[in-house]
Amino acid sequence: MKYCLLGEKLSHSFSKEIHTKLGLDYSLREVSPCMIGDFALSREFAGYNVTIPYKKTITSYLDGVSNEVKSIGAVNTVKIKDGKSYGYNTDVLGFLYTVKRKGVNLSGKTVMVLGTGGASNAVKYGLEKENAKEIIIVGRNSEINYQNCYDKTEVEIIINATPVGTSPDFESKPIDLSKFSKLIAVFDLIYNPQKTALLKQAENLGLIYSNGLPMLVEQALCAQDIWLDKTHGFEVTEKLIEEISKKQLNICLVGMPSCGKSTIGKELSKALNREFIDLDNEIFVQTKKTPAEIIKESGEEYFREIETKILKQVICNLNAVISLGGGAFISEKNRELISQNAISVYIKRDLSLLETGGRPLSLEKGVETLYNERKEFYETASLTVENNGDITCAIKELIKKYETFSFERSQS
């Protein structure tokens, strides 16, 4: 039997990866608005998921819908049985799973939901089901909006159901969390980047937080349960969350000039079947000048501005190996960008083995001085791998550490 995801533009969907991992014959089906009726009535698939912009539209073509759909007004799962089509909404189950896996109890809590669209409606339904004390909906044109929402000082949990902060807009967040003194937890339904600017602030404030990947995975598995009349275990969900989280993240190699980042990066990308990106090369492609030439002509400060600008573009990639220039990781802005969508790996090499040719800062300051300026920043990387001998050994060590590293656990 065949299944699919119905939508208008589906180039960034993870649904196919989730469902095919579990053995379904699953595809992505992009359909124009004028063809929705034809698709729904064709009965081509045994079941399908529905995403923007058809979650509400599809209901008029179905033979029946669940109680959740009647309350929420949106469908994300359709099952064909005995020639008839039935609509369900598993987003609610996905949302509640995300909250509960972080140990947060919604009962009796004052919760603020950002956004008024379909995702917001599913969240509101889940909150009501779990007996939240008060649900505050914030919208741009609502009675409670993004200007006066800070008057709600009693808020304990915030859920972002807007697209604000989605890649490539890594630096935007819908509200300032620091203005809510009773806040204990933040949930962002966005999963690219894995750590939005909103979640970075939640982390800095010491709050419980989660992105939307657990919701994405759990709602997909609940859809399979409906199609196949089965029940999945939480261990299946957790394994998939970890696998997809790791595959989605970039691997950023940092370290001193000539420590082997580019050489290791190229070989690592082949071993892991990922794209390789050299940040210095990207700078050359866009400026027609090497980093050394830019530093010599315009100074290091000017070069760092260009470096950050291009890193913002590069970090939006998924599943890439990215080699950074020796000084890129000393910038707090750059480290923040990297932490939102990448695992950072410090390639550590003995100073006596580092070359200085064509490296103006190494020549000007000296390798040891340059290292002492940067050491504390390199050591904040997620992983450290030494490269003092056979580079093949360094790559094997990196792969071993990467395979056991958990981005999810590192956020707990």
Side-chain angles (χ1 to χ4, degrees), residues 133-196:
K133 177 183 176 182
E134 182 181 4
I135 303 169
I136 302 165
I137 306 295
V138 180
R140 284 174 296 180
N141 302 311
S142 303
E143 181 180 349
I144 302 173
N145 52 56
Y146 294 97
Q147 285 72 49
N148 63 21
C149 66
Y150 300 109
D151 296 338
K152 301 293 182 178
T153 57
E154 68 277 18
V155 170
E156 298 165 277
I157 298 170
I158 291 177
I159 296 123
N160 179 35
T162 79
V164 177
T166 304
S167 179
D169 190 13
F170 278 39
E171 297 177 276
S172 295
K173 58 181 187 289
I175 58 172
D176 181 358
L177 300 177
S178 68
K179 296 183 178 181
F180 298 94
S181 60
K182 296 183 180 180
L183 195 59
I184 60 173
V186 179
F187 297 92
D188 197 329
L189 305 193
I190 294 169
Y191 51 87
N192 181 21
Q194 290 199 31
K195 196 181 290 181
T196 60

Side-chain angles (χ1 to χ4, degrees), residues 43-82:
R43 303 291 194 268
E44 180 182 352
F45 297 91
Y48 54 91
N49 294 125
V50 187
T51 190
I52 296 171
Y54 302 134
K55 287 189 172 186
K56 292 184 179 181
T57 307
I58 199 67
T59 57
S60 60
Y61 298 99
L62 303 177
D63 295 299
V65 296
S66 68
N67 290 331
E68 287 87 354
V69 171
K70 291 175 182 177
S71 296
I72 298 167
V75 164
N76 81 327
T77 300
V78 174
K79 179 177 182 176
I80 309 299
K81 185 176 181 180
D82 299 328

Side-chain angles (χ1 to χ4, degrees), residues 341-375:
N341 223 31
I343 299 170
S344 53
V345 182
Y346 171 29
I347 306 300
K348 188 175 183 180
R349 188 170 176 83
D350 288 346
L351 301 187
S352 62
L353 300 175
L354 300 177
E355 301 174 359
T356 58
R359 305 177 190 279
L361 295 179
S362 296
L363 288 168
E364 177 188 337
K365 297 184 176 183
V367 170
E368 188 169 348
T369 299
L370 199 63
Y371 171 72
N372 287 333
E373 290 177 355
R374 299 174 175 180
K375 177 185 176 183

